[in-house]
Amino acid sequence: MTAAHPGGPPPHRPALLVIDMQAGTAPFMHRPGPTVRTIAGLSRRARAAGVPVVTVRQRGCGAVLPELAPPDGEPQLTKTTADAFLRTDLADTLARLGATELLVTGFATENCVETTARQALSRGYDLVLVADGHTTSVRPEPTGFVPPDAAIAHHNEIYRHLDFPERSIRVLPAAAVDFTAPPPLEPRRP
């Protein structure tokens, strides 16, 4: 994460992650239209507020969807696994940006979004899972997977109740994201 600051923790600095919203993944996305619109709107708001947007692409999955294409000069990286930190420069990019909290969006809920969100917590970042800003894959019938809407709701609920030492975890709809610091953590009970 960021270097220690004299006199206390570093100042709050959010960064928005947009994961695997690409031409090659779109045909498999559940409800891609609403998810893309949500992420595009949140990205515009983030940029207007001076919050960095980092676009993460999965190798071999094509271009970023046009509505979410990052402007020139904005951080982008390509990953080869579900973990956007593994064998990428994401950690270095976030350190350069001074990020202390990650707002996670993208595809697929229980794979790349989940893996990257857990890694962010393990690496010392506070986390916002944007409740309506991630989606999963469509399901072939019959399947052992839960229906897509249930999978998304399930992960949102897990993160609402996830306890991670000294980390703030919030699940917010995009409309409620205001890029401000999370409330102070309550002391841990023994």
Side-chain angles (χ1 to χ4, degrees), residues 20-168:
D20 298 351
M21 297 300 288
Q22 297 167 253
T25 59
F28 306 104
M29 285 182 198
H30 171 66
R31 298 177 356 112
T35 306
V36 168
R37 285 189 296 278
T38 295
I39 297 171
L42 186 59
S43 296
R44 282 190 298 276
R45 290 179 38 228
R47 291 177 183 112
V51 171
V53 178
V54 179
T55 300
V56 179
R57 297 179 312 260
Q58 179 66 38
R59 180 179 292 158
C61 289
V64 174
L65 295 171
E67 303 92 331
L68 301 173
D72 288 341
E74 198 168 81
Q76 302 178 54
L77 62 98
T78 301
K79 64 183 181 61
T80 58
T81 70
D83 178 358
F85 287 95
L86 184 63
R87 294 190 293 267
T88 72
D89 66 350
L90 180 57
D92 291 339
T93 298
L94 295 171
R96 278 192 307 277
L97 297 170
T100 61
E101 178 178 64
L102 301 184
L103 294 89
V104 179
T105 67
F107 176 80
T109 298
E110 62 276 90
N111 195 3
C112 300
V113 170
E114 162 73 8
T115 303
T116 300
R118 295 275 178 147
Q119 280 298 314
L121 290 167
S122 292
R123 291 168 179 264
Y125 294 95
D126 290 328
L127 180 76
V128 174
L129 179 62
V130 181
D132 51 349
H134 63 96
T135 191
T136 190
S137 58
V138 294
R139 312 291 199 215
E141 296 296 330
T143 181
F145 287 105
V146 297
D149 287 327
I152 294 164
H154 175 79
H155 278 78
N156 287 341
E157 196 61 22
I158 285 172
Y159 277 84
R160 283 185 186 99
H161 298 282
L162 189 62
D163 184 26
F164 210 94
E166 300 175 17
R167 296 280 60 85
S168 168

